[in-house]
Amino acid sequence: MTELAWISSAISAARPQAMGALLRYFRDLDTAEEAFQDACLRALKNWPQNGPPRDPAAWLIFVGRNSGIDAVRKRAKQAPMPEEDQISDLEDAESDIAERLDGAHYRDDILRLLFICCHPDLPATQQIAVALRIVSGLTVKQIARAFLVGESAMEQRITRAKARIADAGVPFETPGAAERSERLAAVAAMVYLIFNEGYSTNSGEAPARAPLCEEAIRLARLLLRLFQTEPEIMGLTALLLLQHARAPARFDADGEIVLLEDQDRSLWSRKMIDEGLALVDKALRHRKPGPYQVQAAIAALHARAEKAEDTDWVEIDLLYGLLEQMQPSPVITLNRAVAVSKIRGPEAALAMIEPLEERLSGYFHFFGLKGGLLMQLDRGEEARVAFDRAIALANTAAEAAHIRMHIDRLMKDGAVRVPAKKAN
């Protein structure tokens, strides 16, 4: 690794800790971010000459804090500074900062930073954008590319989000145990949203959006380091790893979707799968099941099957049943129906999903599955109607192309009558 690459890696790893501490000092996102950026510039100048510091995060906090105070003084045009306890509760000593990084402040600072980014007043798209900018350090250009929007539009989105955070008056005190638990659940949900933004894509967008999946995994690992005995965070991290492990096999050479059962499993990342499986096993030993753990356990059953026909659908059905009890949702029932179709056949699965149609009338996957089940039952005309609806609801070109492939198969097999052309 080159010297510049090492410095970049160290700064990236230290960013959440440093930003969290600086935010606690200055009580302002923009001031904390400016202080951190100035510390990074000084690191690029100082570290190659003097060697790496013992603790890069502590160094960046110490330098960033002093830089931020200088900036505040300049903006105030020599006006009297606020009382010290309004700016910082740490002494001006790097060793003391490093010591506190290993204690409760370290965890609470990062959790506070993440929680502020997923403030309930913010729409999900703004939560993700702010987290990627403030916590992960992605540039506005990188985030805009991942969201397939213009750079100026993304800049405005982030600016509006910061303004709403400032207006909301988010408290900066160390949260109590109950509030910490609530915050952790909100942060986990935001990390999962980031992952899904990257995962729900087509082959043409995949290179731009893949960093979102990778960043979500990095944030999940960060949470896991902070909450090493929390089984739901183990489950979340495992779920993301096991899903992302399949990324190389999700699209064929023509960019078409490859269903899970048809994927070339030799392309799956064995390293990610092994890490994910180990986390699933560790989480389940705690005997405190939660939604992320159950979803990870389902993904683990797919990962453990060497061939699609080896998949333990009975166990997957049971796990989806447990998930339905934890988080009742028509989408979970829809997913369970796939397992039911493998165990008891398409007719049983169709009977299971038909009551969901009104609630899932705008959901692409409902009509895709319904069409597939009807096709298995040789009800071609009805399948065509369901597939046409799925195409109308498709979120990506790849989804629409996948459904058209099924329609072409119906036409080829003669299961659907081709309407006669009207005479002119």
Side-chain angles (χ1 to χ4, degrees):
M1 183 180 291
T2 65
E3 188 174 73
L4 188 59
W6 178 89
I7 292 174
S8 177
S9 177
I11 289 174
S12 179
R15 183 182 180 99
Q17 298 98 303
M19 275 295 300
L22 292 170
L23 180 62
R24 175 156 51 88
Y25 300 149
F26 298 111
R27 274 44 173 190
D28 180 79
L29 269 176
D30 286 331
T31 303
E33 191 173 13
E34 289 169 8
F36 178 76
Q37 293 298 335
D38 190 64
C40 291
L41 291 174
R42 298 190 188 193
L44 289 170
K45 180 179 180 181
N46 182 283
W47 292 0
Q49 297 176 358
N50 302 326
R54 176 174 58 85
D55 187 329
W59 192 98
L60 290 166
I61 293 169
F62 181 70
V63 173
R65 176 178 177 272
N66 290 338
S67 172
I69 290 173
D70 288 343
V72 170
R73 286 197 176 108
K74 288 178 182 177
R75 283 199 296 269
K77 296 182 178 179
Q78 308 304 318
M81 282 292 293
E83 294 297 324
E84 176 66 15
D85 60 3
Q86 294 179 8
I87 301 177
S88 168
D89 57 2
L90 299 185
E91 297 177 2
D92 292 335
E94 180 182 340
S95 60
D96 187 45
I97 293 172
E99 182 180 338
R100 286 174 182 264
L101 279 173
D102 295 327
H105 278 300
Y106 163 69
R107 183 172 71 174
D108 290 332
D109 281 345
I110 296 179
L111 187 56
R112 183 188 298 107
L113 179 65
L114 289 167
F115 181 69
I116 286 173
C117 292
C118 63
H119 193 277
D121 285 352
L122 299 180
T125 53
Q126 289 187 9
Q127 290 181 12
I128 295 170
V130 170
L132 292 173
R133 180 71 197 100
I134 301 298
V135 184
S136 304
L138 271 64
T139 65
V140 174
K141 183 177 182 179
Q142 288 173 312
I143 302 170
R145 183 168 177 259
F147 276 87
L148 307 176
V149 300
E151 193 171 339
S152 60
M154 181 54 66
E155 182 74 60
Q156 291 174 7
R157 184 181 299 181
I158 293 172
T159 300
R160 285 195 298 269
K162 286 182 179 179
R164 293 184 75 168
I165 290 171
D167 293 342
V170 180
F172 289 86
E173 292 73 22
T174 300
E179 187 180 2
R180 186 183 291 121
S181 177
E182 293 176 4
R183 291 186 177 198
L184 184 58
V187 169
M190 182 194 67
V191 171
Y192 196 36
L193 279 174
I194 292 174
F195 181 86
N196 282 334
E197 280 292 329
Y199 195 76
S200 303
T201 184
N202 59 43
S203 61
E205 300 168 356
R209 296 173 76 91
L212 297 181
C213 292
E214 294 159 5
E215 190 54 39
I217 290 172
R218 192 177 79 88
L219 291 173
R221 285 174 170 151
L222 172 61
L223 286 177
L224 191 57
R225 287 199 300 272
L226 298 175
F227 299 91
Q228 298 180 16
T229 60
E230 176 53 58
E232 270 295 79
I233 300 303
M234 297 177 199
L236 171 65
T237 309
L239 176 61
L240 304 191
L241 287 166
L242 292 170
Q243 287 185 325
H244 197 46
R246 303 196 295 258
R250 292 182 63 216
F251 300 98
D252 64 18
D254 297 322
E256 304 294 340
I257 291 175
V258 181
L259 295 179
L260 179 60
E261 61 190 39
D262 299 322
Q263 290 178 10
D264 180 355
R265 301 187 177 213
S266 68
L267 297 177
W268 292 0
S269 169
R270 194 71 243 172
K271 183 179 179 182
M272 281 189 171
I273 288 173
D274 289 343
E275 183 182 354
L277 293 178
L279 282 171
V280 171
D281 292 341
K282 184 177 180 182
L284 295 180
R285 284 198 295 271
H286 285 258
R287 298 187 180 277
K288 295 180 180 179
Y292 291 123
Q293 294 173 73
V294 175
Q295 292 177 77
I298 293 169
L301 288 170
H302 287 299
R304 286 191 165 104
E306 292 186 11
K307 303 185 296 295
E309 52 266 32
D310 297 335
T311 305
D312 189 346
W313 289 107
V314 172
E315 184 66 20
I316 289 175
D317 179 33
L318 292 173
L319 286 169
Y320 271 123
L322 177 60
L323 193 58
E324 278 182 314
Q325 295 175 31
M326 293 177 173
Q327 290 184 328
S329 161
V331 173
I332 292 173
T333 303
L334 186 71
N335 288 331
R336 186 181 183 186
V338 175
V340 169
S341 73
K342 303 291 185 181
I343 302 165
R344 300 197 291 276
E347 193 166 357
L350 189 61
M352 188 176 180
I353 70 169
E354 281 181 335
L356 307 175
E357 183 157 357
E358 184 177 349
R359 284 182 289 170
L360 296 178
S361 60
Y363 192 53
F364 162 81
H365 295 287
F366 172 82
F367 292 97
L369 177 59
K370 182 179 180 180
L373 295 173
L374 288 166
M375 192 166 70
Q376 291 178 52
L377 292 168
D378 295 324
R379 293 161 61 177
E381 294 289 346
E382 294 172 85
R384 173 63 186 263
V385 172
F387 284 146
D388 283 344
R389 179 64 177 151
I391 288 174
L393 294 169
N395 299 301
T396 67
E399 287 180 347
H402 179 73
I403 297 299
R404 288 194 186 96
M405 179 186 69
H406 286 303
I407 294 176
D408 291 344
R409 190 178 301 167
L410 284 171
M411 301 290 288
K412 185 183 296 184
D413 294 342
V416 176
R417 293 190 301 273
V418 180
K421 291 185 178 180
K422 293 181 179 180
N424 293 328

